Short mmCIF file of all heavy atoms in Angstrom, two decimals:
data_model
loop_
_atom_site.label_atom_id
_atom_site.label_comp_id
_atom_site.label_asym_id
_atom_site.label_seq_id
_atom_site.Cartn_x
_atom_site.Cartn_y
_atom_site.Cartn_z
N ASN L 72 11.11 5.16 9.77
CA ASN L 72 12.53 5.11 9.50
C ASN L 72 12.88 4.15 8.45
O ASN L 72 13.70 4.30 7.51
CB ASN L 72 13.35 4.82 10.80
CG ASN L 72 13.35 5.98 11.75
OD1 ASN L 72 12.70 7.04 11.41
ND2 ASN L 72 14.05 5.84 12.88
N ARG L 73 12.22 3.00 8.49
CA ARG L 73 12.45 1.90 7.48
C ARG L 73 12.07 2.34 6.08
O ARG L 73 12.70 1.99 5.10
CB ARG L 73 11.68 0.64 7.89
CG ARG L 73 12.13 -0.54 7.03
CD ARG L 73 11.65 -1.80 7.63
NE ARG L 73 12.14 -3.03 6.94
CZ ARG L 73 12.18 -4.24 7.52
NH1 ARG L 73 11.62 -4.43 8.70
NH2 ARG L 73 12.74 -5.23 6.86
N SER L 74 11.01 3.17 5.97
CA SER L 74 10.62 3.65 4.68
C SER L 74 11.45 4.88 4.27
O SER L 74 11.53 5.10 3.04
CB SER L 74 9.16 4.14 4.82
OG SER L 74 8.34 3.04 5.10
N ILE L 75 12.15 5.60 5.12
CA ILE L 75 12.94 6.70 4.82
C ILE L 75 14.32 6.23 4.23
O ILE L 75 14.82 6.87 3.29
CB ILE L 75 13.24 7.59 6.03
CG1 ILE L 75 11.82 8.28 6.42
CG2 ILE L 75 14.18 8.64 5.82
CD1 ILE L 75 11.92 9.10 7.63
N ASN L 76 14.78 5.15 4.61
CA ASN L 76 16.11 4.65 4.26
C ASN L 76 16.20 4.49 2.69
O ASN L 76 17.30 4.80 2.18
CB ASN L 76 16.49 3.31 5.01
CG ASN L 76 16.99 3.64 6.39
OD1 ASN L 76 17.45 4.82 6.76
ND2 ASN L 76 17.08 2.64 7.32
N PRO L 77 15.22 4.00 2.02
CA PRO L 77 15.40 3.86 0.60
C PRO L 77 15.50 5.25 -0.06
O PRO L 77 16.09 5.37 -1.08
CB PRO L 77 14.07 3.21 0.17
CG PRO L 77 13.64 2.37 1.32
CD PRO L 77 14.09 3.22 2.54
N HIS L 78 14.81 6.24 0.58
CA HIS L 78 14.93 7.65 0.06
C HIS L 78 16.47 8.11 0.22
O HIS L 78 17.08 8.73 -0.70
CB HIS L 78 14.10 8.64 0.84
CG HIS L 78 12.67 8.52 0.48
ND1 HIS L 78 11.98 9.41 -0.32
CD2 HIS L 78 11.72 7.53 0.84
CE1 HIS L 78 10.67 8.93 -0.43
NE2 HIS L 78 10.55 7.89 0.30
N LEU L 79 17.04 7.82 1.39
CA LEU L 79 18.39 8.08 1.64
C LEU L 79 19.34 7.39 0.60
O LEU L 79 20.29 7.93 0.18
CB LEU L 79 18.80 7.68 2.99
CG LEU L 79 18.50 8.66 4.19
CD1 LEU L 79 18.78 8.07 5.55
CD2 LEU L 79 19.31 9.85 3.99
N ALA L 80 19.01 6.09 0.33
CA ALA L 80 19.85 5.36 -0.60
C ALA L 80 19.87 5.99 -1.99
O ALA L 80 20.85 6.07 -2.65
CB ALA L 80 19.30 3.88 -0.71
N GLN L 81 18.66 6.58 -2.42
CA GLN L 81 18.63 7.24 -3.77
C GLN L 81 19.39 8.52 -3.61
O GLN L 81 20.04 8.95 -4.67
CB GLN L 81 17.17 7.41 -4.13
CG GLN L 81 16.59 6.16 -4.73
CD GLN L 81 17.42 5.42 -5.71
OE1 GLN L 81 17.67 5.98 -6.78
NE2 GLN L 81 17.87 4.30 -5.31
N LEU L 82 19.35 9.26 -2.57
CA LEU L 82 20.19 10.43 -2.49
C LEU L 82 21.60 10.13 -2.59
O LEU L 82 22.40 10.83 -3.17
CB LEU L 82 19.80 11.16 -1.19
CG LEU L 82 18.48 11.86 -1.05
CD1 LEU L 82 18.18 12.31 0.26
CD2 LEU L 82 18.42 13.06 -2.07
N HIS L 83 22.03 9.07 -1.88
CA HIS L 83 23.35 8.60 -1.94
C HIS L 83 23.81 8.31 -3.37
O HIS L 83 24.91 8.78 -3.82
CB HIS L 83 23.60 7.35 -1.08
CG HIS L 83 24.84 6.67 -1.18
ND1 HIS L 83 25.10 5.76 -2.18
CD2 HIS L 83 25.99 6.81 -0.43
CE1 HIS L 83 26.33 5.31 -2.03
NE2 HIS L 83 26.94 5.90 -1.08
N ASP L 84 22.96 7.60 -4.07
CA ASP L 84 23.28 7.23 -5.48
C ASP L 84 23.37 8.50 -6.40
O ASP L 84 24.17 8.58 -7.27
CB ASP L 84 22.28 6.24 -6.06
CG ASP L 84 22.54 4.83 -5.39
OD1 ASP L 84 23.50 4.65 -4.67
OD2 ASP L 84 21.75 3.94 -5.77
N PHE L 85 22.36 9.42 -6.23
CA PHE L 85 22.38 10.64 -6.91
C PHE L 85 23.63 11.41 -6.78
O PHE L 85 24.24 11.94 -7.69
CB PHE L 85 21.13 11.50 -6.42
CG PHE L 85 20.92 12.69 -7.32
CD1 PHE L 85 20.31 12.55 -8.58
CD2 PHE L 85 21.37 13.97 -6.91
CE1 PHE L 85 20.10 13.79 -9.29
CE2 PHE L 85 21.11 15.05 -7.61
CZ PHE L 85 20.54 15.01 -8.85
N TRP L 86 24.12 11.53 -5.50
CA TRP L 86 25.36 12.27 -5.16
C TRP L 86 26.53 11.63 -5.91
O TRP L 86 27.32 12.31 -6.41
CB TRP L 86 25.48 12.28 -3.68
CG TRP L 86 25.30 13.63 -3.07
CD1 TRP L 86 26.22 14.45 -2.48
CD2 TRP L 86 24.07 14.46 -3.11
NE1 TRP L 86 25.64 15.65 -2.08
CE2 TRP L 86 24.34 15.63 -2.37
CE3 TRP L 86 22.86 14.28 -3.61
CZ2 TRP L 86 23.45 16.64 -2.18
CZ3 TRP L 86 21.83 15.17 -3.38
CH2 TRP L 86 22.11 16.36 -2.79
N TYR L 87 26.53 10.25 -5.82
CA TYR L 87 27.70 9.55 -6.31
C TYR L 87 27.74 9.46 -7.83
O TYR L 87 28.75 9.77 -8.42
CB TYR L 87 27.72 8.19 -5.66
CG TYR L 87 29.04 7.36 -6.01
CD1 TYR L 87 30.12 7.73 -5.25
CD2 TYR L 87 29.05 6.37 -6.89
CE1 TYR L 87 31.43 6.95 -5.55
CE2 TYR L 87 30.18 5.60 -7.19
CZ TYR L 87 31.38 5.92 -6.44
OH TYR L 87 32.51 5.31 -6.73
N TYR L 88 26.64 9.04 -8.41
CA TYR L 88 26.59 8.72 -9.90
C TYR L 88 26.23 9.97 -10.69
O TYR L 88 26.77 10.05 -11.92
CB TYR L 88 25.55 7.69 -10.20
CG TYR L 88 25.99 6.32 -9.62
CD1 TYR L 88 25.29 5.76 -8.61
CD2 TYR L 88 27.04 5.56 -10.17
CE1 TYR L 88 25.57 4.47 -8.09
CE2 TYR L 88 27.43 4.33 -9.60
CZ TYR L 88 26.62 3.84 -8.58
OH TYR L 88 26.97 2.54 -8.09
N VAL L 89 25.56 10.90 -10.22
CA VAL L 89 25.12 12.05 -11.01
C VAL L 89 25.94 13.32 -10.77
O VAL L 89 26.48 13.97 -11.60
CB VAL L 89 23.62 12.34 -10.82
CG1 VAL L 89 23.16 13.56 -11.65
CG2 VAL L 89 22.75 11.12 -11.24
N LEU L 90 26.04 13.64 -9.38
CA LEU L 90 26.88 14.77 -9.00
C LEU L 90 28.33 14.56 -8.87
O LEU L 90 29.12 15.47 -8.79
CB LEU L 90 26.31 15.34 -7.70
CG LEU L 90 24.87 15.79 -7.71
CD1 LEU L 90 24.46 16.44 -6.32
CD2 LEU L 90 24.51 16.72 -8.85
N HIS L 91 28.72 13.18 -8.88
CA HIS L 91 30.13 12.83 -8.78
C HIS L 91 30.70 13.36 -7.44
O HIS L 91 31.82 13.81 -7.41
CB HIS L 91 30.89 13.24 -9.93
CG HIS L 91 30.46 12.59 -11.20
ND1 HIS L 91 30.92 12.98 -12.50
CD2 HIS L 91 29.65 11.55 -11.46
CE1 HIS L 91 30.36 12.28 -13.37
NE2 HIS L 91 29.51 11.40 -12.78
N LYS L 92 29.90 13.26 -6.36
CA LYS L 92 30.39 13.70 -5.03
C LYS L 92 30.25 12.53 -4.01
O LYS L 92 29.35 11.65 -4.25
CB LYS L 92 29.56 14.93 -4.51
CG LYS L 92 29.63 16.15 -5.46
CD LYS L 92 28.63 17.22 -5.23
CE LYS L 92 28.84 17.81 -3.88
NZ LYS L 92 27.88 18.93 -3.63
N GLU L 93 31.11 12.56 -3.03
CA GLU L 93 31.05 11.47 -2.12
C GLU L 93 30.03 11.80 -1.05
O GLU L 93 29.76 12.96 -0.74
CB GLU L 93 32.47 11.41 -1.40
CG GLU L 93 33.54 10.86 -2.24
CD GLU L 93 33.37 9.46 -2.65
OE1 GLU L 93 32.76 8.74 -1.90
OE2 GLU L 93 33.91 9.16 -3.82
N TRP L 94 29.33 10.75 -0.60
CA TRP L 94 28.32 10.82 0.42
C TRP L 94 28.94 10.61 1.73
O TRP L 94 29.60 9.55 1.97
CB TRP L 94 27.17 9.82 0.10
CG TRP L 94 26.07 9.88 1.10
CD1 TRP L 94 25.85 9.15 2.25
CD2 TRP L 94 24.86 10.65 0.93
NE1 TRP L 94 24.67 9.53 2.81
CE2 TRP L 94 24.11 10.42 2.10
CE3 TRP L 94 24.47 11.61 0.04
CZ2 TRP L 94 22.88 11.02 2.31
CZ3 TRP L 94 23.22 12.22 0.12
CH2 TRP L 94 22.40 11.96 1.30
N ASP L 95 28.68 11.53 2.72
CA ASP L 95 29.30 11.41 4.00
C ASP L 95 28.29 10.83 5.01
O ASP L 95 27.31 11.56 5.43
CB ASP L 95 29.80 12.76 4.47
CG ASP L 95 30.69 12.77 5.66
OD1 ASP L 95 30.60 11.74 6.39
OD2 ASP L 95 31.38 13.69 5.97
N LYS L 96 28.43 9.62 5.30
CA LYS L 96 27.54 8.91 6.24
C LYS L 96 27.59 9.49 7.65
O LYS L 96 26.76 9.20 8.46
CB LYS L 96 27.75 7.38 6.26
CG LYS L 96 27.43 6.65 4.94
CD LYS L 96 27.67 5.25 5.00
CE LYS L 96 27.24 4.58 3.71
NZ LYS L 96 27.49 3.04 3.74
N ARG L 97 28.73 10.22 7.93
CA ARG L 97 28.75 10.76 9.29
C ARG L 97 27.88 12.01 9.35
O ARG L 97 27.53 12.50 10.48
CB ARG L 97 30.25 11.23 9.52
CG ARG L 97 31.24 10.06 9.67
CD ARG L 97 32.68 10.48 9.71
NE ARG L 97 32.92 11.18 8.37
CZ ARG L 97 34.16 11.68 8.06
NH1 ARG L 97 35.13 11.56 8.90
NH2 ARG L 97 34.40 12.24 6.87
N GLU L 98 27.60 12.58 8.22
CA GLU L 98 26.74 13.79 8.14
C GLU L 98 25.21 13.45 8.06
O GLU L 98 24.36 13.89 8.77
CB GLU L 98 27.04 14.71 6.97
CG GLU L 98 28.37 15.41 7.13
CD GLU L 98 28.31 16.53 8.02
OE1 GLU L 98 27.24 16.85 8.65
OE2 GLU L 98 29.36 17.16 8.35
N VAL L 99 24.92 12.32 7.24
CA VAL L 99 23.61 11.85 7.09
C VAL L 99 23.57 10.24 7.06
O VAL L 99 23.67 9.65 6.08
CB VAL L 99 22.96 12.35 5.74
CG1 VAL L 99 21.44 11.99 5.66
CG2 VAL L 99 23.08 13.80 5.59
N PRO L 100 23.58 9.76 8.32
CA PRO L 100 23.57 8.24 8.48
C PRO L 100 22.24 7.70 8.20
O PRO L 100 21.14 8.44 8.18
CB PRO L 100 23.97 8.11 9.94
CG PRO L 100 23.35 9.27 10.53
CD PRO L 100 23.56 10.38 9.60
N TYR L 101 22.21 6.35 7.87
CA TYR L 101 20.99 5.66 7.66
C TYR L 101 20.29 5.57 9.14
O TYR L 101 20.97 5.64 10.13
CB TYR L 101 21.18 4.29 7.11
CG TYR L 101 21.49 4.22 5.63
CD1 TYR L 101 22.79 4.03 5.19
CD2 TYR L 101 20.50 4.46 4.69
CE1 TYR L 101 23.10 4.08 3.84
CE2 TYR L 101 20.73 4.49 3.37
CZ TYR L 101 22.00 4.26 2.92
OH TYR L 101 22.30 4.23 1.54
N LEU L 102 18.98 5.51 9.06
CA LEU L 102 18.22 5.56 10.25
C LEU L 102 18.02 4.22 10.88
O LEU L 102 17.83 3.18 10.13
CB LEU L 102 16.88 6.23 10.12
CG LEU L 102 16.88 7.58 9.32
CD1 LEU L 102 15.48 8.13 9.18
CD2 LEU L 102 17.75 8.54 10.13
N LYS L 103 18.08 4.10 12.19
CA LYS L 103 17.75 2.87 12.85
C LYS L 103 16.23 2.57 12.84
O LYS L 103 15.46 3.58 12.79
CB LYS L 103 18.22 2.86 14.28
CG LYS L 103 19.70 3.15 14.59
CD LYS L 103 20.52 1.85 14.08
CE LYS L 103 21.95 2.08 14.34
NZ LYS L 103 22.74 0.88 13.94
N PHE L 104 15.85 1.31 12.77
CA PHE L 104 14.45 1.03 12.82
C PHE L 104 14.18 -0.27 13.48
O PHE L 104 15.01 -1.16 13.66
CB PHE L 104 13.91 0.96 11.38
CG PHE L 104 14.52 -0.04 10.45
CD1 PHE L 104 14.19 -1.38 10.52
CD2 PHE L 104 15.61 0.37 9.63
CE1 PHE L 104 14.80 -2.26 9.61
CE2 PHE L 104 16.23 -0.54 8.81
CZ PHE L 104 15.86 -1.88 8.85
N ASP L 105 12.98 -0.45 14.07
CA ASP L 105 12.59 -1.65 14.69
C ASP L 105 12.15 -2.67 13.80
O ASP L 105 11.59 -2.44 12.64
CB ASP L 105 11.43 -1.30 15.69
CG ASP L 105 11.77 -0.29 16.79
OD1 ASP L 105 12.91 -0.33 17.14
OD2 ASP L 105 10.91 0.41 17.23
N VAL L 106 12.45 -3.94 14.11
CA VAL L 106 12.07 -5.06 13.21
C VAL L 106 10.97 -5.82 14.02
O VAL L 106 11.19 -6.35 15.13
CB VAL L 106 13.31 -5.87 12.92
CG1 VAL L 106 12.81 -7.14 12.04
CG2 VAL L 106 14.36 -5.10 12.15
N HIS L 107 9.83 -6.04 13.43
CA HIS L 107 8.67 -6.61 14.05
C HIS L 107 8.50 -7.98 13.37
O HIS L 107 8.63 -8.09 12.15
CB HIS L 107 7.40 -5.81 13.89
CG HIS L 107 7.56 -4.35 14.55
ND1 HIS L 107 7.57 -4.21 15.92
CD2 HIS L 107 7.68 -3.20 13.94
CE1 HIS L 107 7.63 -2.95 16.19
NE2 HIS L 107 7.71 -2.29 15.03
N LEU L 108 8.13 -8.95 14.17
CA LEU L 108 7.86 -10.26 13.60
C LEU L 108 6.61 -10.20 12.75
O LEU L 108 5.64 -9.48 13.22
CB LEU L 108 7.62 -11.25 14.79
CG LEU L 108 8.89 -11.64 15.62
CD1 LEU L 108 8.48 -12.58 16.71
CD2 LEU L 108 9.81 -12.42 14.70
N PRO L 109 6.59 -10.98 11.69
CA PRO L 109 5.38 -10.92 10.77
C PRO L 109 4.25 -11.58 11.49
O PRO L 109 4.37 -12.51 12.32
CB PRO L 109 5.94 -11.66 9.56
CG PRO L 109 6.90 -12.56 10.06
CD PRO L 109 7.67 -11.77 11.12
N LEU L 110 3.04 -11.21 11.05
CA LEU L 110 1.75 -11.77 11.57
C LEU L 110 1.48 -12.99 10.62
O LEU L 110 1.35 -12.81 9.32
CB LEU L 110 0.70 -10.79 11.52
CG LEU L 110 0.89 -9.62 12.43
CD1 LEU L 110 -0.14 -8.46 12.22
CD2 LEU L 110 0.89 -9.96 13.90
N VAL L 111 1.34 -14.16 11.16
CA VAL L 111 1.25 -15.37 10.34
C VAL L 111 -0.07 -16.08 10.74
O VAL L 111 -0.31 -16.46 11.95
CB VAL L 111 2.44 -16.33 10.61
CG1 VAL L 111 2.35 -17.49 9.68
CG2 VAL L 111 3.72 -15.56 10.40
N PRO L 112 -0.89 -16.44 9.74
CA PRO L 112 -2.01 -17.22 10.07
C PRO L 112 -1.77 -18.65 10.34
O PRO L 112 -0.80 -19.19 9.80
CB PRO L 112 -2.93 -17.02 8.81
CG PRO L 112 -1.97 -16.76 7.71
CD PRO L 112 -0.85 -15.97 8.40
N THR L 113 -2.64 -19.34 11.18
CA THR L 113 -2.43 -20.72 11.33
C THR L 113 -2.89 -21.47 10.18
O THR L 113 -3.53 -20.97 9.29
CB THR L 113 -3.29 -21.15 12.62
OG1 THR L 113 -4.62 -20.97 12.29
CG2 THR L 113 -2.84 -20.23 13.82
N ARG L 114 -2.60 -22.89 10.11
CA ARG L 114 -3.05 -23.63 9.06
C ARG L 114 -4.57 -23.65 9.00
O ARG L 114 -5.17 -23.65 7.89
CB ARG L 114 -2.57 -25.07 9.24
CG ARG L 114 -1.08 -25.16 9.08
CD ARG L 114 -0.55 -26.70 9.31
NE ARG L 114 -1.16 -27.54 8.42
CZ ARG L 114 -1.23 -28.88 8.56
NH1 ARG L 114 -0.78 -29.47 9.65
NH2 ARG L 114 -1.76 -29.64 7.61
N GLU L 115 -5.25 -23.62 10.12
CA GLU L 115 -6.66 -23.61 10.18
C GLU L 115 -7.24 -22.33 9.64
O GLU L 115 -8.22 -22.38 8.99
CB GLU L 115 -7.15 -23.92 11.67
CG GLU L 115 -6.81 -25.31 12.21
CD GLU L 115 -5.32 -25.46 12.55
OE1 GLU L 115 -4.57 -24.52 12.68
OE2 GLU L 115 -4.93 -26.63 12.61
N GLN L 116 -6.62 -21.22 9.95
CA GLN L 116 -7.13 -19.95 9.46
C GLN L 116 -6.93 -19.87 7.98
O GLN L 116 -7.90 -19.38 7.27
CB GLN L 116 -6.40 -18.83 10.11
CG GLN L 116 -6.65 -18.61 11.54
CD GLN L 116 -5.84 -17.53 12.20
OE1 GLN L 116 -4.68 -17.48 12.05
NE2 GLN L 116 -6.46 -16.70 13.15
N VAL L 117 -5.85 -20.40 7.41
CA VAL L 117 -5.62 -20.37 5.94
C VAL L 117 -6.73 -21.17 5.37
O VAL L 117 -7.30 -20.81 4.31
CB VAL L 117 -4.19 -20.76 5.58
CG1 VAL L 117 -4.12 -20.98 4.06
CG2 VAL L 117 -3.23 -19.89 6.11
N LYS L 118 -6.94 -22.40 5.91
CA LYS L 118 -7.91 -23.36 5.33
C LYS L 118 -9.35 -22.74 5.31
O LYS L 118 -10.05 -22.84 4.38
CB LYS L 118 -7.89 -24.63 6.06
CG LYS L 118 -8.87 -25.75 5.49
CD LYS L 118 -8.80 -27.03 6.29
CE LYS L 118 -9.53 -28.12 5.61
NZ LYS L 118 -11.01 -27.77 5.46
N THR L 119 -9.58 -21.96 6.39
CA THR L 119 -11.03 -21.39 6.49
C THR L 119 -11.10 -20.32 5.48
O THR L 119 -12.18 -20.21 4.83
CB THR L 119 -11.10 -20.71 7.94
OG1 THR L 119 -11.05 -21.78 8.88
CG2 THR L 119 -12.37 -20.05 8.06
N ILE L 120 -10.05 -19.50 5.32
CA ILE L 120 -10.16 -18.42 4.23
C ILE L 120 -10.32 -19.13 2.85
O ILE L 120 -11.21 -18.69 2.10
CB ILE L 120 -8.88 -17.58 4.23
CG1 ILE L 120 -8.87 -16.75 5.59
CG2 ILE L 120 -8.83 -16.66 3.00
CD1 ILE L 120 -7.62 -15.99 5.84
N ILE L 121 -9.51 -20.10 2.54
CA ILE L 121 -9.55 -20.64 1.14
C ILE L 121 -10.90 -21.42 0.95
O ILE L 121 -11.49 -21.22 -0.18
CB ILE L 121 -8.45 -21.71 1.04
CG1 ILE L 121 -7.04 -20.98 0.95
CG2 ILE L 121 -8.58 -22.64 -0.17
CD1 ILE L 121 -5.88 -21.89 0.93
N ASP L 122 -11.35 -22.13 1.95
CA ASP L 122 -12.66 -22.82 1.89
C ASP L 122 -13.88 -21.82 1.64
O ASP L 122 -14.90 -22.23 1.10
CB ASP L 122 -12.91 -23.69 2.96
CG ASP L 122 -12.02 -24.90 3.07
OD1 ASP L 122 -11.36 -25.21 2.04
OD2 ASP L 122 -11.99 -25.57 4.17
#
Side-chain angles (χ1 to χ4, degrees):
N72 287 2
R73 188 167 192 163
S74 299
I75 291 173
N76 279 340
H78 289 259
L79 275 172
Q81 282 313 293
L82 288 170
H83 171 277
D84 287 356
F85 184 83
W86 251 243
Y87 188 78
Y88 292 111
V89 178
L90 300 183
H91 297 167
K92 297 168 67 175
E93 293 294 330
W94 183 268
D95 192 341
K96 293 182 179 179
R97 294 168 297 182
E98 293 283 355
V99 187
Y101 285 104
L102 306 182
K103 299 291 185 179
F104 56 85
D105 296 330
V106 178
H107 301 286
L108 290 175
L110 299 171
V111 185
T113 65
R114 291 178 63 197
E115 292 72 22
Q116 287 174 322
V117 173
K118 184 178 186 302
T119 298
I120 293 172
I121 289 175
D122 289 346

